[in-house]
Amino acid sequence: MSTDEIVDPTIAPSDQFRRFLYHIGIPVAGVVTVIAVIAGVGWHSYQTVRTGALTLTHDLLVSQQEYIAKEVSSFLMPASAGAIVARDMLEHGAPAVEQKIFNGYSSTMMRNVPQIQSFYIADSDGNFSTLEHGEQPGQTALTTLHDVGTPKAIFTHELRDGDGKLLKQWQTPAGTYDPRGHAWFTDAVKAGQEIWTPPYLVEVTKQITITAAVPYKGSNDKTYVYAINMSLNHLNNFLNSLKIGESGNAILLQQGGNVVAGHGMQETQTKAQGDPAKMTLDPVKYPVMTKAFDEYRVHGYGARTIKVNGRRYVTITANLPVGKDSWVLLLVAPEDDFSRFAMAGGQQNLIFFVLVVIMALGFGLLLFLQARRSDGLRNLIARMRRVAGHESDALQEVAQYEELFNPEDNALILTKKLAEQSEARRAAIWRILHDGHTLMCIDSYDRLQDVHSGGFEMSTTDLKSFFDAVFHGDRLATTAADTDEHTTAFYRVYMRAFGSKSLVCCPIVGNGGPVGVITLEDAPQAEMVYHFVQMVAGVAAVRFSAQHYTAVAAAREELETEPAATEELHDPSQGFLLAPGALSINGQPNATDLSQMEGFYPAVTIMVISLSDMIMTAQNDPAANIKLIDDMAAALQDIAHQCGLYSIRMLGHRVVCIAGCSRTPDKGAVFRMANAALMMRENVLAMLSKADLDPVFRIGIDVGPVFGGMLGKNPQAFNLWGDAMGMAEMMAQGAPDVGTIQVSENVYQRLRQYFLFRERGRFFIPGMGLTRTYVLAGRR
């Protein structure tokens, strides 16, 4: 159980609540109240100023809109009123002076009204005259159509100065031109009153023009149309010259959305290639005006506020009647253009309030953190007291363990208490062996699974950085063992298969220096209970020193008691890494024919190494995969030769080793097989670590009777089967952890004087009943 989950019954809940209320609740509530009041006052002031500024903005824009409407009406009025006056003059004048009246009135209007571009007059017979500006200021150009509708139709042109003096006269073919086919004539005659044409492009001047035309009856009973053409360039220049706020714009549009004049007129005209019917707002280039016009189409005329690209705009749409139709006057200006001067004070006040709120929040946060710090320190002191109490209890349990300093006992209580106190996922005690180049796991306890394991060996060849730190007695602590330079190799070989991440190492120091190390994996409480870990390290050092044998004595005893190998080496054949052969057994001569070895063998030692399929298929590169397996097979082959095994063969993801295959039991076979198992485990661990693969393999050993012999025709294959073979496979498949060597009770009875074992318990095995199994940890 975590120390944080322990409840002290002496602490009353009411005292905790009162302390929280006085230290945190009331101060924080006061600060929050002050902040709320300041923020409310600041926000109300800001909103009041902003509302007043927006009201002023709308009023200013309405005044601007009325002014522009009057100016546009004034711009169009000369054409409308002039057409009426000219109609009355021409309608009541004598036909003989009709041309003089047209010339005199029209030239006078052109000199005094700059927006007028030209004048037209035509009758129902097709006669046509136009008066327009000449080449120089003050000059007028009169064009008259003759012989309309005939092949001889021509235009007569006269250029006169300001005094009416003729300067130049010439003629041009008229072709099929007939004024009666143009909209300004036909629409006026049809309406019977003054009309305004939609804007159109004059090809000669390349200007957008609008025409006011009025019909009348002459004294000769002909129908006449008098028209005044006005260039929208003047209206466009007028609208562009207006200053609406700092960056506002005005634009005139028809009801259908076609641009008449105003902001962006030139670009719009160019894009439409001069066709007024195609002159519409581009929503990409003019998104604000497009959205404002869409709002008008939905909600009608009036003032409103829109938001485009995070910025607010004030818009006004107004109606401008032009004849029977009407135009839409659209004004657009950013909201802050008008309200900036009024909102500046409100923004300053708001900034001031925000600063005050931030300062109050800062002071409140400091107060809160101080209170939390005090409570945290108080809880930490209480927690340390509880931890100290639990450590005392744990030390008392360790001290009461009767076999604590018996080197023959595994003292599993040490790793269990280490894991419980530090809340580690796994706690292990490692010893530096007598050769100074090997680190062996005496015991490893998995707290989550509540199981013990051991017997793992690692050499300096593959874990140099980790060994250097351990042999120098360095204390290591890392939260990412897979990236730390000292623990990366240890993580790959030992930790990765269990999913551990962090690692804490405490050296075990004897009289002559470091003799081992304690490792704690994923231990959040390791720092808090480190002195307890050091105490356990001291106990482990005493246990190591209590083992009276030395490395030399152990080696001598091993050499004296180990029976000599009686099996010879033979060349590989039939798929064997080490081929089975006839050996000298108990002084008997070698058999010359393997077929003579057929029969029953009473005590054959069999070892099965089960490699996970993941190892066999982990490499993406088939060549690298085969190379890894080949190197592994060569290493196992060398060990089999060195330990004098009878044969070794790789079958799929299993490796089967045999020793003592003779009709007379070979007492040294199981001893040699145990030595080979320890050496093979270390080599396979190292090779998989170099290949960056998880060490997912298990080893099982059994000794017992089997049947064997040569099978099949030429070539024949040697094979063994029986109880010992099946038991060895079950030992490998049921090993508790990866890299573990599990042996049967028969193997334990033969090797318990020479090797270290840890009992796993009693298990039911089909065909055999209840039996015990053991884990081979290492040599004594």
Side-chain angles (χ1 to χ4, degrees), residues 5 20 52 60 132 196 230 330 352:
E5 301 176 3
F20 175 83
L60 290 174
E132 56 189 350
W196 284 89
M230 301 185 67
L330 176 60
F352 170 74

Side-chain angles (χ1 to χ4, degrees), residues 547-561:
Q547 296 176 352
H548 60 278
Y549 57 86
T550 63
V552 177
R556 183 182 299 112
E557 181 181 356
E558 180 178 323
L559 292 175
E560 292 176 353
T561 57

Side-chain angles (χ1 to χ4, degrees), residues 214-232:
V214 59
Y216 68 92
K217 284 285 187 178
S219 58
N220 53 6
D221 203 29
K222 291 182 181 180
T223 300
Y224 290 82
V225 174
Y226 182 77
I228 301 178
N229 302 317
M230 301 185 67
S231 172
L232 292 182

Side-chain angles (χ1 to χ4, degrees), residues 267-296:
E267 296 181 8
T268 305
Q269 181 179 347
T270 302
K271 185 176 180 180
Q273 297 180 349
D275 186 358
K278 297 180 180 179
M279 294 171 57
T280 57
L281 288 173
D282 185 354
V284 176
K285 194 169 185 62
Y286 306 106
V288 179
M289 291 184 178
T290 303
K291 186 172 183 179
F293 189 71
D294 292 340
E295 291 285 331
Y296 149 73

Side-chain angles (χ1 to χ4, degrees), residues 292-409:
F293 189 71
D294 292 340
E295 291 285 331
Y296 149 73
R297 286 202 254 193
V298 175
H299 303 289
Y301 298 104
R304 54 186 59 89
T305 301
I306 62 175
K307 189 174 184 180
V308 178
N309 297 330
R311 192 177 184 185
R312 300 176 67 86
Y313 294 84
V314 179
T315 67
I316 290 184
T317 50
N319 180 34
L320 290 180
V322 181
K324 290 185 178 181
D325 299 326
S326 61
W327 290 345
V328 179
L329 174 62
L330 176 60
L331 275 67
V332 176
E335 183 182 87
D336 53 9
D337 279 5
F338 293 92
S339 60
R340 186 180 294 120
F341 70 94
M343 296 173 63
Q347 290 178 349
Q348 291 178 356
N349 291 336
L350 183 62
I351 292 174
F352 170 74
F353 289 136
V354 170
L355 291 177
V356 172
V357 168
I358 291 176
M359 294 177 64
L361 282 173
F363 289 129
L365 180 61
L366 291 176
L367 181 62
F368 174 77
L369 292 178
Q370 182 63 30
R372 292 288 296 173
R373 182 183 177 88
S374 299
D375 284 348
L377 291 175
R378 187 181 299 105
N379 293 334
L380 180 61
I381 293 173
R383 183 181 176 188
M384 292 181 67
R385 288 176 178 172
R386 291 195 298 270
V387 170
H390 291 300
E391 286 183 359
S392 299
D393 295 339
L395 286 174
Q396 187 174 1
E397 291 184 38
V398 171
Q400 291 176 349
Y401 188 73
E402 296 181 355
E403 303 294 331
L404 181 62
F405 296 106
N406 180 10
E408 301 296 329
D409 187 86

Side-chain angles (χ1 to χ4, degrees), residues 591-634:
T592 58
D593 188 358
L594 287 178
S595 61
Q596 299 181 14
M597 297 293 295
E598 295 179 356
F600 175 76
Y601 305 100
V604 177
T605 305
I606 299 177
M607 175 175 65
V608 175
I609 303 176
S610 177
L611 296 169
S612 169
D613 288 338
M614 181 166 47
I615 293 179
M616 311 303 289
T617 60
Q619 301 287 341
N620 292 327
D621 184 4
N625 190 15
I626 295 175
K627 180 65 168 59
L628 171 64
I629 299 173
D630 181 58
D631 293 342
M632 189 184 303

